[in-house]
């Protein structure tokens, strides 16, 4: 059992304390709070900051160090499966809030339920495990099939101290883009600028931009009505102000004016929307173009051919490999 700093609060104030410590991302991960007589001990990442936060709310507390039980088993899913079958293979999966989404390897076909249970054993907070199918249609939603646990694929995910509610069966959401979203906010978008998030989904880019660069003014557009509903909910949950439009980017782009940055996070179909997006970039503004391609140069050439204004590649980043031949790239393109 790991020894960790804690703050202890009276039992009747514990729920309020837990909420604020969680909101401030101060709770230690993967360990359980516990009761001692009439106090509840919360293991924390930084006892000093946790104390200040509680003090501000007038919640009395004591601080110290103690051992806490883990909520995560420190074995991998592969090790748990190996214990059951005597063999195993790598199992790719993501934990999104209290849901896991797994790609079942061919070798484990017929053992889906065991894979789901192994994930739930390793991640005690996971309530349900879904097998992922292909991404479909313009809404870019994955087919999901529950293989363990209970309840729907509706969950609340945390990323960079922001909260995202999402129905994974009806909306696109990819937790693996967390680093890219942070880098976009930290390295690309300038203070005080105006941004159009043209394919906003449930709002991760919009919310994280506002969280990291509060002086930006963001307008978001989304076609999927369910994702749009979660986008509005996530703006509220994170106390972020942004204009949001439900509709087709092609139509919304005619109503919203021009921006310093237009973000096109629709990598499979980006080439079809170049004209639409370029229309919304102010002279000398920038297009943030995500595209799956063999290399950044090919992605840019395709964009240049489709743009009806002169464009210049300022920088690019390989976000992640997509297949043996292709990667997801982010291009920062100046539009003259
Ligand atoms: C790859 S997802 C990205 C979502 C979000 N930016 C994120 O990072 O999670 C692309 C999004 O574009 C939306 N979309 C597809 N076609 C659209 C269109 N014509 N106009 C507006 N949004 C569209 C899809 O519904 C989907 O939510």
């Amino acid at each position: 059992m790991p020894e960790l700093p804690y703050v202890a609060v009276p039992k009747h104030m514990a729920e309020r304390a837990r909420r604020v410590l969680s909101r401030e991302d101060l709770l230690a991960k993967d360990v359980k709070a516990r009761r001692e007589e009439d106090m509840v001990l919360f293991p924390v990442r930084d006892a000093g900051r946790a104390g200040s936060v509680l003090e501000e709310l007038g919640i009395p507390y004591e601080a110290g160090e103690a051992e806490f039980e883990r909520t995560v088993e420190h074995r991998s899913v592969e090790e748990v499966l190996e214990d059951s079958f005597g063999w195993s293979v790598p199992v790719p999966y993501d934990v999104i809030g209290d849901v896991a989404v797994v790609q079942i390897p061919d070798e484990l076909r017929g053992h889906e339920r065991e894979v789901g249970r192994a994930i739930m054993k390793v991640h005690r907070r996971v309530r349900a495990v879904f097998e992922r199918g292909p991404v479909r249609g313009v809404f870019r939603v994955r087919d999901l099939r529950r293989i363990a646990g209970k309840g729907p694929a509706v969950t609340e995910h945390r990323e960079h101290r922001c909260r995202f509610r999402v129905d994974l069966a009806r909306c696109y959401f990819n937790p693996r883009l967390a680093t890219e979203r942070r880098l976009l906010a930290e390295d690309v978008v300038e203070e005080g600028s105006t941004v159009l998030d043209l394919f906003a989904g449930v709002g991760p880019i919009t919310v994280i931009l506002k969280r990291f660069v509060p002086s930006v003014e963001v307008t978001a557009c989304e076609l999927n009505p369910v994702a749009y509903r979660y986008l509005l909910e996530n703006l509220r949950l994170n106390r972020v102000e942004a204009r949001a439009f439900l509709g087709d980017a092609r139509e919304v782009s005619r109503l919203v004016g021009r921006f310093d940055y237009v973000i096109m996070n629709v990598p499979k179909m980006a080439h079809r929307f170049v004209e639409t997006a370029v229309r919304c970039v102010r002279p000398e503004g920038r297009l943030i173009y995500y595209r799956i391609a063999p290399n950044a140069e090919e992605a840019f050439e395709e964009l240049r051919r489709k743009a009806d204004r002169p464009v210049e590649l300022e920088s690019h980043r390989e976000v992640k490999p997509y297949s043996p031949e292709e990667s997801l790239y982010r291009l920062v393109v100046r539009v003259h």
Side-chain angles (χ1 to χ4, degrees):
M1 286 202 295
E3 187 161 308
L4 293 167
Y6 69 80
V7 287
V9 303
K11 200 182 79 185
H12 68 281
M13 293 183 155
E15 185 45 34
R16 217 173 128 218
R18 190 196 58 73
R19 255 186 278 131
V20 67
L21 293 171
S22 161
R23 194 177 64 225
E24 296 297 321
D25 205 16
L26 285 164
L27 292 173
K29 299 259 182 282
D30 304 329
V31 277
K32 275 188 197 160
R34 70 158 184 274
R35 228 177 107 178
E36 265 181 22
E37 295 172 359
D38 54 354
M39 301 291 272
V40 177
L41 277 61
F42 290 104
V44 289
R45 288 140 64 106
D46 179 338
R49 275 187 52 217
S52 319
V53 165
L54 295 174
E55 217 164 273
E56 255 175 50
L57 291 177
I59 300 178
Y61 71 96
E62 291 162 16
E65 282 205 1
E67 287 191 337
F68 289 89
E69 214 179 297
R70 288 190 189 280
T71 54
V72 173
E73 180 161 334
H74 273 243
R75 284 193 306 162
S76 66
V77 171
E78 288 79 3
E79 283 166 332
V80 173
L81 289 171
E82 192 156 355
D83 284 354
S84 310
F85 299 133
W87 58 272
S88 186
V89 289
V91 179
Y93 65 93
D94 292 308
V95 174
I96 306 171
D98 62 357
V99 161
V101 178
V102 59
Q103 189 184 332
I104 300 288
D106 287 343
E107 297 86 337
L108 286 165
R109 276 273 156 244
H111 299 292
E112 288 85 348
R113 190 187 282 205
E114 288 83 348
V115 173
R117 286 188 178 152
I119 292 174
M120 291 181 74
K121 199 163 182 193
V122 171
H123 299 272
R124 296 270 164 83
R125 287 185 194 154
V126 166
R127 157 184 60 78
V129 180
F130 293 83
E131 177 186 355
R132 59 182 252 192
V135 173
R136 288 193 197 276
V138 288
F139 295 164
R140 315 305 299 145
V141 176
R142 265 193 196 289
D143 283 347
L144 295 181
R145 181 172 73 96
R146 197 176 62 218
I147 55 172
K150 52 181 188 248
V154 177
T155 191
E156 185 175 313
H157 183 68
R158 286 178 170 252
E159 180 180 308
H160 306 312
R161 300 174 65 188
C162 299
R163 297 159 64 188
F164 296 103
R165 281 190 63 77
V166 57
D167 182 345
L168 297 166
R170 299 203 288 166
C171 310
Y172 175 93
F173 184 79
N174 187 348
R176 295 186 192 183
L177 295 178
T179 303
E180 168 55 20
R181 293 191 261 267
R182 177 177 58 76
L183 292 177
L184 179 68
E186 284 180 350
D187 300 346
V188 179
V189 174
E190 283 168 17
E191 294 273 355
S193 53
T194 55
V195 178
L196 174 61
D197 183 4
L198 202 46
F199 303 91
V202 302
I205 294 180
T206 292
V207 169
I208 281 168
L209 275 182
K210 285 292 290 182
R211 174 58 55 98
F212 278 77
V213 198
S215 60
V216 294
E217 226 176 77
V218 186
T219 299
C221 165
E222 171 56 43
L223 182 63
N224 173 355
V226 180
Y228 177 77
R229 190 157 53 73
Y230 281 104
L231 163 67
L232 296 184
E233 190 173 342
N234 291 328
L235 293 176
R236 265 197 310 275
L237 262 181
N238 293 284
R239 296 200 190 88
V240 156
E241 273 190 30
R243 270 200 310 171
F245 289 85
L246 169 63
D248 189 319
R250 282 172 280 236
E251 283 151 31
V252 173
S253 66
R254 297 183 187 280
L255 311 172
V256 287
R258 288 186 159 189
F259 296 80
D260 298 322
Y261 297 90
V262 175
I263 300 174
M264 297 178 69
N265 182 16
V266 64
K268 279 279 190 183
M269 314 186 282
H271 57 302
R272 295 193 211 147
F273 292 94
V274 171
E275 231 183 284
T276 294
V278 163
R279 178 181 306 134
C280 297
V281 184
R282 69 151 170 82
E284 305 309 311
R286 291 173 180 91
L287 198 60
I288 313 292
Y289 188 72
Y290 289 94
R291 186 78 173 118
I292 290 159
N295 54 61
E297 290 68 28
E298 280 189 41
F300 176 67
E301 264 317 300
E302 178 193 52
L303 183 156
R304 198 180 55 74
R305 282 196 304 274
K306 291 184 181 286
D308 53 5
R309 285 162 59 189
V311 288
E312 191 186 319
L313 180 59
E314 276 193 348
S315 66
H316 64 83
R317 169 171 189 266
E318 183 179 1
V319 176
K320 63 182 179 86
Y322 181 77
S323 68
E325 296 81 29
E326 293 184 311
S327 288
L328 170 63
Y329 289 94
R330 178 235 290 155
L331 311 186
V332 179
V333 175
R334 188 178 277 270
V335 181
H336 296 295

